[in-house]
Amino acid sequence: MTSTATLPAEAAAPPERGRDPHVRRFGLPVATCLVMGNIIGGGIFLLPASVAPFGTISLVAFAVLTAGAIALALVFGRLAERHPQTGGPYVYARAAFGDFAGFLAAWSYWITAWVSNAALAVAAVGYLTVLFPAVGEHKWSMCLAALAVQWLPALSNLAGTRYVGAVQVVSTVLKFAPLLLVAVGGLFFFDPANLGPFRATDQSAAGAVSASAAILLFSYLGVESATVSAGEVRDPARNVGRATVLGTVGAATVYLLGTVAVFGLVAHDRLVSSTAPFTDAVDVMFGGTWGGTVVACAAVISMLGALNGWTLLSAQTPYAAAEDGLFPKAFATKKRGVPVVGVIVTVALASALTVYNYTAGSQGVFESLVLITTFTATVPYLLATAAQIYFLLSGQRERVHPGRLARDGVLAALAFGFSMWLVAGSGYAAVYQGVLFLFAGVLVHAAMSARKHRAAASPTE
């Protein structure tokens, strides 16, 4: 019989929470910014050049991926209506399939979060060297800069959810200003002659779409952001789904408009070899060479905003699992509305990985770990969408709206297919190594389950 153990009831905040000036529940605008900010990190600043070698057919891949991401967002919205608790995919997987599936979702998501945070910080240093060349003169100065980029968002989180939300809104506005400048303003300078061929490779149309999609697939990781922090969102049953869809559509719009604008601003033969396509686009629009500074500032702000949001998410899923006895109890400690132990442990692990990267000079190892996270991130997606399919097919009337059964079924099938495509796009090596990381958590689950069983079996006072 499938376990449907009681989930932590966080839909209603404790009365004392409202009296703490450091704690503030997120409204719809902040939750939407959380989703958009986490989806759009720093990758967008290289994205047009990454897909340019395939030609404008890569825009078709964008459209297909956007449809899949929106389907996933809609499924998360439906699930959040029934389970408006902190934890997102972990909560849904556990409700449908029991503790073990829930643990796998939490474990894989946590691995994704802290390894990705380290990768974001290292990438941010590359843009910081444009603004402050001295940072790039020695590996230790770069290492210290990467650590600072990680700990500043962590301190923002430790200050309380009120400050997390404020930083997220400000960083989202600041990073979207230059992106929208190119995405919208660039259309006035658009030259169709710069677009290049529709299909720039010898591959078939289907092959070109798949190849470009493999690069773009992971641009949409983060659609679950509002669901993971549902316990900190006001009226989560209503706002989490809206924020998820609005944030995903907003990010997709910026991706698509920005890529189209850069395609039309920078000549194709130049774009395929560009290392800073948005810089080149700004230079075309306004002349001069100051575009590099503008784009570097936007990229650093973008990554700091993404780290601010991902730091919170990296602590929320272990918090929810710890509340259920599936993670060490320390992860359930909250202060000022933030799981402080989760934040500190996560940023400490990411910092250790960063120091290892700079000390050992092991770029290959670090890049392999980052690729693994593209697989581990999809495990919670697959489990969550499978949970929705389970709810739809098992006749649980309290979880299913009869009038929306067919539509929800189609969306769940599309979202599951999208998640499988994400796994396939990770590559054989990443899937193989990711499974090893995933199964390493089985030992942790065994220990935590044994402890939970002993606690339940011990006589109460």
Side-chain angles (χ1 to χ4, degrees):
M1 181 175 178
T2 302
S3 170
T4 53
T6 303
L7 299 168
E10 291 188 331
E16 63 270 16
R17 211 179 249 189
R19 300 193 189 106
D20 190 337
H22 302 287
V23 178
R24 179 175 296 171
R25 288 197 160 218
F26 303 148
L28 179 60
V30 175
T32 302
C33 287
L34 183 67
V35 176
M36 293 182 70
N38 286 354
I39 292 177
I40 300 179
I44 187 173
F45 296 97
L46 291 174
L47 213 52
S50 299
V51 297
F54 301 100
T56 52
I57 195 172
S58 58
L59 298 177
V60 177
F62 249 127
V64 174
L65 290 172
T66 299
I70 291 174
L72 187 60
L74 289 168
V75 169
F76 280 146
R78 289 282 185 266
L79 289 166
E81 289 178 9
R82 299 296 181 184
H83 301 279
Q85 294 93 15
T86 291
Y90 156 75
V91 173
Y92 315 143
R94 181 170 178 260
F97 309 121
D99 285 352
F100 185 61
F103 173 82
L104 287 181
W107 177 260
S108 60
Y109 195 81
W110 188 51
I111 291 173
T112 300
W114 63 265
V115 176
S116 295
N117 282 2
L120 268 174
V122 171
V125 171
Y127 288 101
L128 276 174
T129 57
V130 176
L131 303 174
F132 308 102
V135 171
E137 291 179 359
H138 194 276
K139 69 176 182 180
W140 286 115
S141 60
M142 296 174 69
C143 181
L144 289 174
L147 293 176
V149 166
Q150 291 175 59
W151 279 94
L152 285 174
L155 292 175
S156 167
N157 273 263
L158 293 174
T161 53
R162 174 179 183 176
Y163 302 98
V164 175
V167 170
Q168 202 64 32
V169 171
V170 171
S171 65
T172 300
V173 171
L174 289 178
K175 79 178 177 183
F176 277 128
L179 290 174
L180 289 175
L181 173 66
V182 174
V184 178
L187 298 179
F188 294 96
F189 300 86
F190 192 91
D191 184 356
N194 289 329
L195 291 176
F198 177 69
R199 202 169 69 213
T201 66
D202 296 331
Q203 297 170 290
S204 66
V209 169
S210 295
S212 53
I215 297 173
L216 300 170
L217 277 171
F218 313 110
S219 303
Y220 286 102
L221 294 180
V223 297
E224 75 292 340
S225 301
T227 70
V228 174
S229 294
E232 309 306 328
V233 178
R234 287 196 298 270
D235 190 8
R238 178 183 177 87
N239 285 333
V240 167
R242 290 182 171 188
T244 301
V245 174
L246 289 174
T248 303
V249 171
T253 301
V254 172
Y255 276 150
L256 193 55
L257 285 178
T259 303
V260 169
V262 172
F263 274 15
L265 286 168
V266 183
H268 181 260
D269 57 347
R270 182 184 174 192
L271 183 59
V272 294
S273 59
S274 174
T275 58
F278 274 82
T279 295
D280 295 337
V282 172
D283 289 344
V284 169
M285 291 169 65
F286 302 107
T289 58
W290 55 271
T293 301
V294 173
V295 172
C297 286
V300 170
I301 292 170
S302 177
M303 292 185 186
L304 283 172
L307 278 166
N308 182 65
W310 276 107
T311 299
L312 177 63
L313 297 190
S314 66
Q316 293 285 29
T317 297
Y319 163 78
E323 284 280 284
D324 298 326
L326 300 181
F327 256 58
K329 199 65 179 175
F331 282 88
T333 304
K334 263 193 174 183
K335 291 182 180 179
R336 298 171 178 173
V338 174
V340 291
V341 173
V343 169
I344 293 172
V345 171
T346 296
V347 75
L349 287 170
S351 297
L353 183 57
T354 302
V355 172
Y356 172 72
N357 176 62
Y358 282 107
T359 303
S362 51
Q363 284 291 341
V365 174
F366 191 78
E367 289 168 3
S368 296
L369 288 172
V370 172
L371 284 175
I372 290 168
T373 66
T374 59
F375 165 73
T376 57
T378 59
V379 172
Y381 293 178
L382 284 168
L383 289 171
T385 52
Q388 174 71 339
I389 292 171
Y390 166 76
F391 294 144
L392 293 173
L393 296 179
S394 61
Q396 299 185 42
R397 295 186 178 276
E398 73 281 4
R399 300 178 187 272
V400 178
H401 191 294
R404 297 195 304 228
L405 183 61
R407 183 176 61 180
D408 286 352
V410 171
L411 286 173
L414 288 174
F416 189 86
F418 176 68
S419 301
M420 286 295 290
W421 197 10
L422 286 171
V423 172
S426 302
Y428 293 109
V431 172
Y432 169 72
Q433 295 173 69
V435 168
L436 295 180
F437 266 76
L438 193 62
F439 284 177
V442 174
L443 182 62
V444 178
H445 180 262
M448 295 306 304
S449 294
R451 182 176 180 180
K452 186 177 180 181
H453 178 75
R454 285 198 311 270
S458 61
T460 56
E461 297 292 336

